[in-house]
Amino acid sequence: MAAASNLLSEDQFLCSVCQDVFNDPVSTPCGHNFCQKCITEHWNVSDRCQCPMCQEVFTTRPDLRVNTLFSEMVSQFRQSTQQKARSSSSEQQESRPGEVPCDVCTGTKLKALKSCLVCLVSYCETHLEGHLTASRLKRHQLMDPVENLEDRMCLKHDKPLELFCRTDQTCVCMLCSVLDHKMHNVVPLKEEYEEKKVELEKTEAEIQEMIQKRLLKIQEVEHNVKLSEEDANRKKAEGVRVFTGLKESVERKLDEFINTIEEKQRTTKKQAEDAIREMEQEISDLMKRSTEVEKLSLSEDHLHLLQSVQSLNIHHLPPTKDWSQVSVPPASYEGTMVRAVAQLEETLSKKMKTLVEVELKRVQKFAVDVTLDPETAHPGLILSDDGKQVHHSDVRKNLPNNPERFINDYCVLAKQSFSSGRFYFEVQVKGKTDWDLGVTRESINRKGSFTWGFHEIITLRHQKGYWNIQMRNGKEYKALDDPSVLLSLKSGPQKVGVFVDYEEGLVSFYDVEAAALIYSYTGRSFKEKLFPFIYPGHNHGGKNSSPLIISPVNQTG
């Protein structure tokens, strides 16, 4: 009997319904064998009774009987398989916690090598052999071992989930596709798997790209923090050096001031002491003469008195000074402190000039090429062909009223805009009596209200997104902050530098030739694009006809 079972191929011991080794095999009238449970369940869900192998139809359900001989052969095949499994178990690895065990192994469970998506069983190397050799089992879909294969069965029809419904975005079995999802777009799992895999790979690539961008951004931020730290340390060291020097200058000037006061006091005191000493000496001499005269006046000897008077020459007193013309007034300290502070101010001004020169050289490194935009210019302005100069004209041009153009305010913006970082540009204002310049945000009102007066328009600039300074009447300088700040300048600038640090919220103006800071707007919050902004002022009959000129930056440091 054992020899007979060995003559049969292994796939002949597999049920064509469950594709596994026969369990309680029974024979149909047509001579085919099936697991008793498999054929019974198949006929229970089928509309008619027929053989799954040859499709022979039976008018009545046959009385199934166990094929004794074949059942014995299956039993011997099982024993042979188990012996092979036991003999090879020592060579195979036992399943460990977290690993998928073989569902067929009895006793010691070996580590599953593959899971079958058709059988819904996980197999070790020995029990997988049938799927690698049997022709019918070779068609089964194998995958790396997974647990809970029952989750891959349709809960409603107890069939493998082999299809994917794209309409409902869910996995379905064959019966689902012809019943609940009949009119839906249903495709094999593999087809949807391939598409989803491509999508996942694309998503993964996008995610990796996003990760790389953020890693690079982290490196950039960390690098910037490091640069900021280094710059902060340099600035602190520079600040300590500068303020220590200023402190020493103040202390030195204070010492000089105190020494001046004390020297004056010492001189006054010495003059007083010398005068007192001289007067005390005169008093001593006069008192001595007074004693002699008093003593002589008490004498009753006529001859002695007369002779003594002659010898004493009492009519001639000891030599003395006319003290009525001598004065030792208190020392005057008026102006001493003012002069000391003025000298200190001069010292500080020199140090300030040096600091501004260094700062100006530093910000000039952020110079940008600025060109005026004719599309924004008021019709009463004349721009040079290169877009570097602008002045007011008494003749208003007929230009289209495009959204970018100023109508009520004689202004023009640059073509360039900035929404981050730092930038710097210079404007020559030489020969002008009226002008405004600075930066403005993109959303400012360029049309204005025709009910506004000219001065009202200019005054309201600081409330409308402008950060600028202005000159009026050739002498009055003002920063249009809130409130406006009247600027006290020693001399009118010939060239003005404008520096903006977007993130810091800083706008600073410099007198380039004098290397002096004119004014700074600080602590602002910029949320829009910023444009360089220029107002050349009215012509005023030729008094203000000189153009404002955007000058190339001469970086001298």
Side-chain angles (χ1 to χ4, degrees), residues 81-89 92 105 110 113 123-130:
T81 302
Q82 289 174 356
Q83 287 175 357
K84 290 181 181 180
R86 283 193 293 270
S87 63
S88 62
S89 62
Q92 298 183 47
C105 288
L110 299 181
L113 189 63
Y123 298 101
C124 63
E125 181 179 357
T126 300
H127 293 121
L128 182 64
E129 186 176 352

Side-chain angles (χ1 to χ4, degrees), residues 378-379 396 400-401 405-410 446-447 450:
H378 185 279
R396 181 176 176 132
N401 185 12
R405 191 177 307 284
F406 286 89
I407 295 300
N408 265 17
D409 206 354
Y410 290 88
R446 308 185 190 196
K447 306 306 178 184
F450 287 98

Side-chain angles (χ1 to χ4, degrees), residues 11-30:
D11 60 344
Q12 290 178 297
F13 291 100
L14 302 178
C15 171
S16 61
V17 177
C18 67
Q19 299 298 320
D20 202 354
V21 178
F22 286 105
N23 189 12
D24 297 330
V26 293
S27 299
T28 59
C30 57

Side-chain angles (χ1 to χ4, degrees), residues 467 481 504-508 519-525:
W467 295 273
D481 210 331
E504 192 68 20
L506 171 70
V507 183
S508 293
Y519 189 76
S520 288
Y521 293 86
T522 59
R524 307 303 151 125
S525 180

Side-chain angles (χ1 to χ4, degrees), residues 357-404:
E357 285 176 348
V358 173
E359 181 176 297
L360 188 56
K361 289 178 182 178
R362 189 181 299 121
V363 300
Q364 282 177 334
K365 294 179 181 179
F366 298 97
V368 294
D369 184 18
V370 172
T371 306
L372 299 177
D373 186 359
E375 295 298 316
T376 67
H378 185 279
L381 297 180
I382 302 295
L383 272 64
S384 62
D385 293 338
D386 62 0
K388 298 296 184 181
Q389 302 185 26
V390 59
H391 67 276
H392 175 255
S393 171
D394 293 325
V395 179
R396 181 176 176 132
K397 299 187 293 294
N398 185 19
L399 297 174
N401 185 12
N402 52 288
E404 298 81 14

Side-chain angles (χ1 to χ4, degrees), residues 522-542:
T522 59
R524 307 303 151 125
S525 180
F526 301 134
K527 301 183 186 302
E528 301 180 27
K529 291 180 181 178
L530 295 182
F531 288 82
F533 147 82
I534 287 179
Y535 166 81
H538 283 249
N539 189 24
H540 293 314

Side-chain angles (χ1 to χ4, degrees), residues 243 293 390 476 514:
F243 281 98
V293 170
V390 59
E476 183 181 293

